[in-house]
Amino acid sequence: MSSTASGKNGTWRNWGGNVAARPAREVAPASVEELAAAIRRAADDGLKVKAVGSGHSFTSIAATDGVLIRPQLLTGIRHIDREAGTATVEAGTPLKRLNVALAREGLSLANMGDIMEQTVSGATSTGTHGTGRDSASIAAQIKALELVTADGSVLTCSEKGTDEERAVFAAARIGLGALGVVTAITFAVEPIFLLSAREEPMPFARVLAEFDELWTENEHFEFYWFPHTGSTNTKRNNRSAGPEKPVGQLAGWFEDELLSNGVFQVAQWVGRAVPAAIPAIAQVSSKALSARTYTDIPYKVFTSPRRVRFVEMEYAVPREAVVETLRELKAMVERSGLRVSFPVEVRTAPADDITLSTASGRDSAYIAVHMVKGTPFQRYFTSAERIFTAHEGRPHWGKIHTRDAEYFAGVYPRFEEFTALRDRLDPDRLFQNDYLRRVLGA
């Protein structure tokens, strides 16, 4: 499901349909050398450069009127080092293909987000994450990176390199496309394992009261709260000795496709046509999914299909602030008269050492609010954002937010470290666009 196919007249649109751009030209390099040549040519022509993956960001982070780099020919696994426990992959490889290829080799990533349509470079560059008590975002699993910088040179970096390479590595794992075009990523991988998932409804009040225990007792805990209800659906994933007990094909189709996508899509249509019906629909939706447990290989447990198109805002708040933030969010929805038909998703991540990671230097909890594609989302998102920023929240780089460089300098202790590195690697701002101008400053 690539959403990056150009529309009419060479217009590029993202998956959520809320961002469009008309690049001067598109390039799909088949090698690192071709990519470097395309970057040098763009610089000679006075054009900016942006790479785009599968367009799953809701921000205009990949939009450009210059040269749009499509990485679809830069795919596949370059090298597996079983002794070191690493796999080096080309930047344009979709996570779905990576997961399947690793599984075939008896290997897996430690943690993943909840969808796998994105390219590895798009997912890591924007800070895509799942949920985890001990294991962090996809970018935090990177061991080495290769990128082409503004002068067309190829730079490799890891935590083992020179001081400069280590500084680049700290920043470029979540580089926002500001430091260069990533061409290959070396991930930490491990022998494939089994995860047992336990999904069950739980009252919102109970989840908040027991959040610390639920977080402590499970390797991967997340939940969805249905606005206008006191109900949540919780999911706990933990490593298992087996046996494998996948979701049956019929049950999987019924729960993942019919209920989670089909009935949910119909509910969204009804909600758009008759907003007043949304609270009643939410009561039904929140009770549609019953408890279930299943055991399977990691990517089949971490990820699920998302066929209903939406737009999204997500903020990371300090983990200790999550319960209070959620209480405020619930009170705001009840007070506002808003009609919210999409569940609120809550996940966690441990602190990491990546300069602009949303979990940089602090244990974090993520709160994501969604609206169906095509519905007005501004009032809901603005009200939610006011609550998130009061808790020093850090927005996901690929999801809707209104923050700027001044705000980020206040919530990221190492913000200036990133901008100083960008000054060194891209002094002429070849990789600049409107979004980067806003979030990093000119």
Side-chain angles (χ1 to χ4, degrees):
M1 182 191 75
S2 172
S3 57
T4 52
S6 282
K8 296 173 194 136
N9 324 323
T11 302
W12 169 85
R13 284 183 200 285
N14 68 337
W15 181 86
N18 65 315
V19 177
R22 293 194 62 180
R25 64 174 176 254
E26 292 187 21
V27 183
S31 67
V32 176
E33 294 72 30
E34 278 184 26
L35 174 62
I39 287 174
R40 285 193 290 267
R41 188 179 153 213
D44 291 344
D45 294 345
L47 293 171
K48 303 290 188 195
V49 177
K50 292 293 353 154
V52 67
S54 59
H56 262 269
S57 288
F58 301 98
T59 57
S60 52
I61 190 164
T64 186
D65 55 7
V67 177
L68 193 66
I69 305 282
R70 299 293 190 109
Q72 66 256 34
L73 301 179
L74 298 172
T75 61
I77 295 181
R78 262 192 208 179
H79 178 63
I80 288 174
D81 184 338
R82 287 179 189 275
E83 212 166 291
T86 60
T88 301
V89 293
E90 304 274 345
T93 310
L95 283 168
K96 183 178 272 179
R97 282 185 55 189
L98 174 63
N99 286 327
V100 171
L102 286 175
R104 210 177 282 141
E105 298 284 344
L107 299 167
S108 175
L109 294 170
N111 199 355
M112 253 169 282
D114 54 12
I115 60 167
M116 48 180 181
E117 313 302 333
Q118 315 99 311
T119 59
V120 292
S121 56
T124 54
S125 296
T126 54
T128 297
H129 61 89
T131 190
R133 180 190 62 203
D134 314 304
S135 56
S137 71
I138 303 178
Q141 299 170 63
I142 295 176
K143 290 295 177 194
L145 265 183
E146 175 187 273
L147 68 162
V148 178
T149 55
D151 61 5
S153 60
V154 180
L155 179 65
T156 51
C157 58
S158 72
E159 55 204 346
K160 295 192 176 82
T162 62
D163 286 355
E164 174 71 356
E165 282 166 6
R166 285 207 303 277
V168 174
F169 184 68
R173 282 174 286 169
I174 299 180
L176 316 185
L179 306 175
V181 177
V182 175
T183 47
I185 298 173
T186 301
F187 288 106
V189 292
E190 57 181 292
I192 203 160
F193 53 94
L194 292 174
L195 276 179
S196 266
R198 181 173 161 201
E199 297 175 7
E200 67 174 317
M202 199 179 281
F204 185 67
R206 186 183 150 198
V207 174
L208 294 198
E210 297 176 14
F211 184 83
D212 285 343
E213 292 96 295
L214 288 162
W215 174 81
T216 305
E217 289 164 11
N218 295 285
E219 292 171 63
H220 308 274
F221 172 67
E222 65 187 302
F223 71 93
Y224 294 87
W225 164 57
F226 297 84
H228 314 296
T229 78
S231 309
T232 76
N233 205 39
T234 63
K235 185 174 180 184
R236 290 170 257 194
N237 299 332
N238 290 287
R239 294 197 182 209
S240 163
E244 221 169 297
K245 273 198 315 204
V247 175
Q249 249 184 315
L250 185 61
W253 176 83
F254 183 73
E255 288 164 343
D256 297 325
E257 288 297 345
L258 182 66
L259 292 180
S260 297
N261 284 298
V263 172
F264 188 55
Q265 176 74 71
V266 172
Q268 301 304 323
W269 288 334
V270 174
R272 274 182 71 176
V274 192
I278 285 173
I281 294 169
Q283 292 290 349
V284 175
S285 296
S286 70
K287 294 180 175 54
L289 295 168
S290 51
R292 63 174 181 171
T293 57
Y294 50 95
T295 303
D296 213 329
I297 59 173
Y299 80 85
K300 294 186 177 177
V301 174
F302 283 130
T303 66
S304 49
R306 292 272 188 280
R307 308 210 194 284
V308 179
R309 301 250 170 167
F310 54 82
V311 290
E312 179 179 1
M313 167 182 280
E314 181 185 67
Y315 267 74
V317 297
R319 203 187 67 239
E320 60 274 13
V322 67
V323 170
E324 177 55 30
T325 308
L326 285 164
R327 284 202 180 106
E328 290 170 19
L329 188 67
K330 186 171 192 283
M332 178 275 288
V333 169
E334 284 164 3
R335 216 176 38 236
S336 65
L338 284 163
R339 294 285 178 256
V340 180
S341 61
F342 228 97
V344 172
E345 183 180 25
V346 181
R347 296 176 289 173
T348 68
D352 64 40
D353 62 351
I354 303 171
T355 319
L356 290 188
S357 163
T358 42
S360 185
R362 74 183 190 195
D363 290 346
S364 301
Y366 294 95
I367 304 173
V369 296
H370 311 71
M371 277 287 207
V372 171
K373 179 182 171 180
T375 45
F377 60 83
Q378 282 81 0
R379 199 173 134 227
Y380 176 38
F381 283 16
T382 301
S383 304
E385 190 172 42
R386 203 170 290 136
I387 293 167
F388 300 148
T389 54
H391 291 281
E392 298 200 336
R394 298 167 176 170
H396 188 303
W397 296 107
K399 297 176 186 176
I400 292 168
H401 67 88
T402 66
R403 303 295 89 191
D404 60 15
E406 188 185 356
Y407 179 84
F408 292 124
V411 295
Y412 283 102
R414 298 165 65 189
F415 187 74
E416 285 174 9
E417 203 181 298
F418 189 97
T419 53
L421 178 67
R422 180 187 182 218
D423 288 340
R424 293 204 297 280
L425 291 181
D426 187 14
D428 300 327
R429 300 291 185 262
L430 182 69
F431 302 115
Q432 175 99 290
N433 64 2
D434 290 345
Y435 181 76
L436 291 184
R437 192 176 291 113
R438 168 162 72 94
V439 301
L440 296 177

